[in-house]
Every structure is written in C-alpha cells, then in structure tokens.
Amino acid sequence: MSLRQIELEVLRYDPEQDDEPRFQKYSVPCQEEWVVLDALNYVKDNLDGSLSYRWSCHMAVCGSCGMMIDGEPTLSCKAFLRDYGSKIRVEPLANFPIERDLVVVLDDFMSKLKRVKPYLIPKQHKPIADGEYRQTPRQLKLYKQYTLCINCTLCYAACPQFALIPDFIGPAALALAHRYNLDSRDGGRAERQEEVASHEGIWECSFVGACSEVCPKSVDPAGAIQQMKIASTVDWYLERLMPWRNK
Amino acid sequence: MAKSNKPIVWGLFAAGGTVSAFVLPALIFVTGLAVPLGIFGDDALSHERIYPFVSHWFVSLVLFGVIVLSIWHAAHRIRITLHDFGMRGDGMIGTVAYFAAGMFTLGTFFALSGM
C-alpha cells in the first residue's frame, strides 16, 4: 500500500455564520486505493471535525454521499483517488440549496417524488387469501433497471433543465414513475399521468441525457422520459380522436 | 395539474426526427452529391424526367410528409437548442419557430398541390 498526498479543496458553508460559501484546503495522506469519501473521513477524524457531509454505506447502495467532485456529480464512495489528480475539488451537489458544507437540502426532491406516487397501486385489490400477484421474468425485465435508482439525486445535479426550471419534476422521480407504470401488477398510470404529463413533468425535459450519464446505478432516466413522452403523445391523440375511450 | 398540450408539437418533432434521420441523408446524397457528380447520368433530375414522377399523387404525398415533418422537427429543435443555450423567452421563440413551420407547411402544400 502506497501513500499519496492529496490536496482536497472542499466547499465550506455554514449559513448561520458565513455570508457566502468558501473553499478550504486540506492536505490529506491517502492510501492509493481510497475513494474521495475515505479522504473526507480522514479530514473529519483527524484534521477538522466541523466538516459536514452525508454518507452511510460506503458501497454505492444508500445514495447519500453524492457530491460534485471536480465539477462532476459523483458518489464520493465510488470516486477512486487513482482516477483523479493530486488536487481534488469537492462541492455539494449542484442545483440544490446548501444546508451546510457538503450537505444539501432535499425537501424539494422528496415532495416531487411523493407527487408521482412511486409505489404499487394495484389494478384491483384482492384479499391475501387469494395469493400473491404473479409476474413472469419477461414482465419483470421490462421495469427492473428502473428499480435500481437509489435516490442519490446526482441526475438532478447534472440536469441543465432542472437548473433552469426548478419546478421540473426531474429525472429520478420521473424514472420511478415509469418503473411503476411498467409494472404488470400496477394500475396507477392514469393517476401518475396527472403529474407526469403536465408541463412540469416530462415536457420540461429537452433530452440532454446528462442524467443517464452520471447515474451510478446505470438507470436510464432520459430513456424513461422519452418513452413516457411517446406514450403521453399517443394518449393525447387518443383522448381527442376517440373521446368515447375516456372514462 | 393540467396535462400539457405539448404532444402536438412533440409528436411532429418525434415523427420528423425519425423521418429526417432515415430519409434526409439519402435525399442529400442523391440530390446534393450523386446527381451533381453525374453518377446517375446528366439529365437525372431534369425537369422533363422528374416532373411526371413528382406530380403523381402518391409521390407528392410522400414528399409532403418528408418535407413538412422535417420542418416541424427543425422548428422544435431550434426552440429547444436556443433554450439550452440559455436564451429566455421560450414562448416567443416557440411562437416564431412554429409560425415559420406553419408557413412552410402551407407553402409546401400549395407547391405540391399545384403540380
């Protein structure tokens, strides 16, 4: 194991004391196989206990350690130091208000997530005695990729549309709506369409595709949104050309 | 929340994107390269040869589809690209772009139906 001296340039901000965010430099003795999160933990444990950031699992599952690393939205537990130079700039996720240091305020995302009803809304309720809802592997495959979202919000930090239009429901929430729409056990699409097919839903997306590029779980939110645009366009025409289909 | 009416323009945009991706490169090759270079002979696109072909109702219809869908695709693409470049006034840009596309549509209709 070889040691490597890394200079971390970390954005610090305490809204109660600071007028505006500032950068603070830390010189960190790092192991070659460390990730940026390890370096931050070293800072917290040895150099500056006041540094605030979120993390939990250290294995790209919990989705809480997302930050801008050299300007790219990245999970800091997945950002290996060997892929970076000797100077690394660490900032909180872009497009979100800063709570403190590298911690961002997620309330807006949480309320949007809730609005798209990202849970199963069964077609018809059946008593437990009638047994489970069955699903074939083919039906599972249709939506499985979208279940891998860990709500890390890297896609929101990458999305230029979300930066311009804060009301945009955004990639992760829309991809999760799509995940349930595609589920053979689900019957909630019409309810979700009220949000998804609105102006603030899929139609604010201009298909830049940055969301899918930064996703640490290889979910493809951009693809999900395009598929929903096609389905919603078909809906739009059917609602007008065949009004008797509307309930 | 009210559902958006964007499917009108987006539908044309998506259909136009598909058409222009598949058909326009071939048309550009034929009319822009092959014919000027004489690959199909000297009078490949001469008025006498091409007029009866184009004025057939089915060919006119196909041409109308290709031209109009490509134009609506371009109009919406310009609107989005200007927005992505940070230009504000999306409503105004959209109105101008779609008005132009509408005019081109009418022009194409009269040009093709007048044959």
Side-chain angles (χ1 to χ4, degrees), chain A residues 46-235:
Chain A
N46 301 288
L47 304 175
D48 186 347
S50 71
L51 179 65
S52 297
Y53 52 99
R54 286 196 183 104
W55 73 288
S56 176
C57 76
H58 201 290
M59 49 193 270
V61 170
C62 74
S64 48
C65 71
M67 40 193 88
M68 307 298 285
I69 299 177
D70 279 353
E72 284 270 327
T74 316
L75 291 183
S76 57
C77 69
K78 239 189 143 185
F80 283 90
L81 294 175
R82 58 172 171 261
D83 298 328
Y84 294 86
S86 55
K87 260 191 195 174
I88 303 174
R89 178 172 272 223
V90 185
E91 297 159 274
L93 282 179
N95 305 338
F96 290 95
I98 303 176
E99 181 113 41
R100 189 190 165 105
D101 296 342
L102 301 172
V103 177
V104 293
V105 183
L106 289 173
D107 299 358
D108 174 63
F109 167 68
M110 292 304 173
S111 72
K112 284 172 178 167
L113 190 59
K114 216 168 146 186
R115 270 164 53 195
V116 301
K117 305 190 178 179
Y119 40 81
L120 274 184
I121 302 171
K123 279 187 195 121
Q124 67 247 22
H125 287 277
K126 63 176 186 177
I128 292 174
D130 286 2
E132 59 279 82
Y133 293 93
R134 309 193 77 167
Q135 194 164 54
T136 65
R138 185 193 291 261
Q139 287 169 327
L140 171 67
K141 200 179 160 206
L142 207 57
Y143 67 84
K144 192 170 177 210
Q145 112 168 244
Y146 304 111
T147 68
L148 301 178
C149 173
I150 54 175
N151 298 340
C152 65
T153 66
L154 296 192
C155 48
Y156 286 76
C159 176
Q161 283 298 92
F162 179 58
L164 289 171
I165 306 152
D167 285 337
F168 177 33
I169 292 176
L174 289 170
L176 280 165
H178 193 48
R179 173 251 175 276
Y180 288 97
N181 286 344
L182 291 177
D183 194 313
S184 60
R185 299 163 295 177
D186 183 85
R189 180 167 178 269
E191 285 177 48
R192 288 187 203 101
Q193 280 299 91
E194 296 297 320
E195 295 289 341
V196 166
S198 71
H199 255 299
E200 294 168 5
I202 48 176
W203 299 113
E204 287 295 10
C205 165
S206 64
F207 201 12
V208 173
C211 50
S212 299
E213 273 176 45
V214 299
C215 180
K217 306 304 281 185
S218 302
V219 178
D220 182 7
I225 294 172
Q226 302 320 300
Q227 287 174 23
M228 286 194 284
K229 281 183 186 173
I230 294 172
S232 302
T233 301
V234 171
D235 281 356

Side-chain angles (χ1 to χ4, degrees), chain A residues 115 161 164-165 190 193-195 197-200 203-204 206 208 226 229-230 232-233 236-237 239-240, chain B residues 1-14 76-77 79-81 83-86 88 90:
Chain A
R115 270 164 53 195
Q161 283 298 92
L164 289 171
I165 306 152
Q193 280 299 91
E194 296 297 320
E195 295 289 341
S198 71
H199 255 299
E200 294 168 5
W203 299 113
E204 287 295 10
S206 64
V208 173
Q226 302 320 300
K229 281 183 186 173
I230 294 172
S232 302
T233 301
W236 192 91
Y237 281 104
E239 275 168 25
R240 277 152 191 85
Chain B
M1 200 174 301
K3 285 189 189 174
S4 171
N5 284 322
K6 226 162 179 183
I8 313 172
V9 285
W10 192 84
L12 290 166
F13 168 74
H76 191 68
R77 170 51 65 207
R79 176 187 175 189
I80 293 174
T81 304
H83 174 79
D84 285 347
F85 281 159
R88 297 291 73 93
D90 182 55

Side-chain angles (χ1 to χ4, degrees), chain B residues 7-44:
Chain B
I8 313 172
V9 285
W10 192 84
L12 290 166
F13 168 74
T18 311
V19 165
S20 46
F22 282 104
V23 181
L24 287 195
L27 278 179
I28 290 168
F29 171 75
V30 171
T31 58
L33 284 172
V35 171
L37 291 173
I39 292 174
F40 296 135
D42 286 341
D43 64 342

